């Protein structure tokens, strides 16, 4: 069968099922099924095998464990301690609750690695609090959803764990490469929150005494210690990403059950259920994407793409990559999008000589935009549900923060050392 025809049929079927509101995982499987039924060299057993191989990876075990760690920290009120620290540090500035939201997202993202867990944990506290203090609920939802994107960039990032697993790129190097872009996004969003607050005369909180700042810092030190354990363990070569995720779970349990005593054994079934619901859908979609990736490789679709972009300079190809992943992220969750696109783009990326870490960071940041761009926009959807408003009411408030992410992506593409400086120090 002609390669172009196969690609057209696969894409057409997948888009059709998405338009019909079929869940992404099932849309992927249904798009692949005709080829496994018609082609005599394939059968349903091979389809099942490829679905299983899509998640048959020790590294990918880090995903449910990081999500479980985040669920435990939410249940044990570690999130509240991070919010108190953020408020003590920046809450007294004009529009300080918006800036607090960004700072808390940077802290929680560095603890959990999950943007959606960030929205669930911080949003459930900050959105009602901002609404009570007179902030428009659309703005509260927008800044919460947008700042949660930082959790996909700043380490430890679940998306970077998956990217490293699927592409063979060093996860430690990807983590380091995400630090500066993540801080730039956070700084840019804090600036936007301050300017919006001044323009709209948002409330200003009283500046706390220095003693309260020290108390908040003391109460949060143990929570922030998880960052040292995870990143120090991975970058020091003591543990793998999966082992670091298990350590994060054990440490979160220790904080919640022994130190803070805010959860008990009776709370664990509900916590496990919550984390399973967060983990199962993207992982199922990732497994289904494995079948699609197999078909694309089988029909040589990546080689056709390589011939199309042959001779394109590396810098130009990186712009194409960023745009492609920005578009893909609008419709797909990051994890299945990675499973589909990594093997498709791999020959072209290798031929162009792109640095794998630079390429990975640009791709992950571009896909992370999809968390706040409808129709997918899962973080925006979760935040709107917490704020009890339709999603379209939060979109205008999200736009300035989304522009910060786009500008940072462009900066990383134009100036590779923004991302590669820290990894270069460990070589």
């Amino acid at each position: 069968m002609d390669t172009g025809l196969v690609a057209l049929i696969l894409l057409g079927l997948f888009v059709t099922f998405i338009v019909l509101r079929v869940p992404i995982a099932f849309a992927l499987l249904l798009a692949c099924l005709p080829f496994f039924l018609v082609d005599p060299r394939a059968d349903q057993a091979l389809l099942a095998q490829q679905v299983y191989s899509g998640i048959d990876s020790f590294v990918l075990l880090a995903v449910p464990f990081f999500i479980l760690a985040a669920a435990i920290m939410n249940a044990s009120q570690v999130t509240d301690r991070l919010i108190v620290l953020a408020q003590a540090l920046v809450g007294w500035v004009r529009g300080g609750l918006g800036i607090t939201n960004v700072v808390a997202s940077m802290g929680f993202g560095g603890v959990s690695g999950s943007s959606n867990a960030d929205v669930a944990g911080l949003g459930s506290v900050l959105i009602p609090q901002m609404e009570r203090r007179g902030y428009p609920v659309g703005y509260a939802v927008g800044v919460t959803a947008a700042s949660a994107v930082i959790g996909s960039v700043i380490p430890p990032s679940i998306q970077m764990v998956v990217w490293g697993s699927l592409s063979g790129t060093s996860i430690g190097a990807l983590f380091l490469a995400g630090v500066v872009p993540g801080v730039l996004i956070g700084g840019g969003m804090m600036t936007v929150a301050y300017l919006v607050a001044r323009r709209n005369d948002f409330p200003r909180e009283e500046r706390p005494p220095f003693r309260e700042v020290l108390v908040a810092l003391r109460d949060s030190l143990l929570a922030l210690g998880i960052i040292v354990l995870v990143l120090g363990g991975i970058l020091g070569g003591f543990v793998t990403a999966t082992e670091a995720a298990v350590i994060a779970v054990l440490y979160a349990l220790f904080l919640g059950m022994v130190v803070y005593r805010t959860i008990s054994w009776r709370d664990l079934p509900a916590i496990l259920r919550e984390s399973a619901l967060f983990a199962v859908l993207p992982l199922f979609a990732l497994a289904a994407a494995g079948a699609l990736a197999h078909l694309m490789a089988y029909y040589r679709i990546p080689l056709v793409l390589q011939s199309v972009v042959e001779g394109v300079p590396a810098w130009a190809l990186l712009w194409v990559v960023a745009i492609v992943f920005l578009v893909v992220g609008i419709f797909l969750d990051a994890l299945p999008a990675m499973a589909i696109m990594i093997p498709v783009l791999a020959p072209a990326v290798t031929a162009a000589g792109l640095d794998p870490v630079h390429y990975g960071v640009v791709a992950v940041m571009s896909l992370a935009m999809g968390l706040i761009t409808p129709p997918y926009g899962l973080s925006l959807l979760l935040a709107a549900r917490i704020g009890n408003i339709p999603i379209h009411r939060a979109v205008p408030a999200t736009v300035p923060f989304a522009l910060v992410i786009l500008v940072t992506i462009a900066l990383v593409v134009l100036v590779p050392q923004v991302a590669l400086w820290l990894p270069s120090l460990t070589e």
Side-chain angles (χ1 to χ4, degrees):
M1 190 178 293
D2 179 69
T3 301
L5 179 61
V6 171
L8 185 62
I9 293 173
L10 277 172
L11 180 62
L13 287 173
F14 178 64
V15 171
T16 300
F17 290 127
I18 290 296
V19 170
L20 294 174
R21 303 183 68 83
V22 176
I24 289 174
F26 291 103
L28 289 167
L29 290 175
L30 290 172
C32 296
L33 187 59
F35 295 92
F36 284 96
L37 292 175
V38 173
D39 195 320
R41 292 166 294 182
D43 57 24
Q44 295 91 318
L46 181 61
L47 173 61
Q49 180 184 347
Q50 293 304 320
V51 169
Y52 174 76
S53 66
I55 53 172
D56 183 21
S57 168
F58 177 74
V59 176
L60 290 181
L61 281 174
V63 175
F65 279 117
F66 273 126
I67 291 174
L68 176 57
I72 294 170
M73 285 184 285
N74 280 335
S76 58
Q77 300 174 14
V78 171
T79 305
D80 296 352
R81 295 172 185 272
L82 295 176
I83 292 175
V84 169
L85 175 61
Q87 284 182 310
L89 292 174
V90 297
W92 49 272
V93 181
R94 172 73 64 184
L97 280 181
I99 302 174
T100 296
N101 208 317
V102 178
V103 174
S105 289
M106 294 177 71
F108 191 78
V111 168
S112 72
S114 170
S115 295
N116 294 330
D118 184 335
V119 173
L122 300 179
S124 60
V125 177
L126 283 172
I127 291 175
Q129 187 175 349
M130 292 178 72
E131 192 175 2
R132 285 194 300 269
R133 291 292 298 141
Y135 290 80
V137 64
Y139 172 77
V141 167
V143 68
T144 300
S147 62
V149 173
I150 300 172
S152 297
V153 181
I154 205 165
S157 160
I158 288 175
Q159 284 84 348
M160 288 188 180
V161 170
V162 175
W163 183 276
S165 171
L166 297 177
S167 67
T169 308
S170 166
I171 294 173
L174 287 171
F175 279 179
L176 284 176
V179 172
V180 175
V183 171
L184 289 176
I185 292 173
M189 286 187 176
M190 282 188 273
T191 302
V192 168
Y194 174 73
L195 294 175
V196 170
R198 287 197 59 179
R199 181 179 179 182
N200 294 278
D201 196 26
F202 287 162
R204 182 173 183 169
E205 310 296 324
E206 291 186 10
R207 187 166 187 166
F210 184 66
R211 183 177 178 277
E212 288 187 19
V213 177
L214 292 178
V215 170
L217 181 61
R218 182 201 63 193
D219 291 343
S220 301
L221 277 179
L222 286 176
L224 294 173
I226 197 169
I227 302 175
V228 178
L229 283 175
V230 171
L231 294 186
I234 294 175
L235 299 177
F238 303 110
V239 294
T240 65
T242 302
E243 292 162 347
V246 174
I247 290 173
V249 170
L250 296 176
Y251 186 75
L253 282 173
F254 174 74
L255 289 183
M257 301 183 77
V258 178
V259 178
Y260 301 142
R261 298 186 179 181
T262 47
I263 58 173
S264 65
W265 291 106
R266 292 191 300 272
D267 300 315
L268 291 184
I271 294 171
L272 289 170
R273 180 179 180 274
E274 177 190 349
S275 60
L277 290 174
F278 263 108
V280 68
L281 292 179
L283 286 176
F284 182 31
L286 182 62
L292 183 61
H294 169 77
L295 281 180
M296 290 188 295
Y298 180 74
Y299 289 106
R300 299 177 175 271
I301 293 175
L303 296 179
V304 173
L305 180 62
Q306 179 186 356
S307 65
V308 171
V309 300
E310 194 171 2
V312 175
W315 63 267
L317 181 60
L318 196 57
W319 279 111
V320 173
V321 165
I323 294 170
V324 166
F325 278 108
L326 282 169
V327 174
V328 170
I330 293 175
F331 303 100
L332 276 180
D333 182 79
L335 303 195
M338 290 176 189
I340 295 168
M341 298 305 300
I342 285 175
V344 170
L345 295 173
V349 167
T350 302
L354 283 178
D355 183 286
V357 176
H358 189 203
Y359 162 53
V361 169
V362 170
V364 168
M365 291 174 66
S366 301
L367 282 172
M369 271 290 293
L371 292 168
I372 55 172
T373 50
Y376 176 68
L378 184 56
S379 289
L380 186 58
L381 181 64
L382 289 173
R385 188 173 298 170
I386 293 170
N388 197 28
I389 61 171
I391 195 170
H392 65 83
R393 282 185 56 189
V395 170
T398 310
V399 171
F401 299 100
L403 291 176
V404 171
I405 303 172
L406 290 174
V407 169
T408 307
I409 293 171
L411 180 63
V412 172
V413 172
L414 290 170
V415 188
Q417 285 305 114
V418 171
L420 299 180
W421 173 64
L422 277 179
S424 69
L425 297 180
T426 63
E427 293 177 356

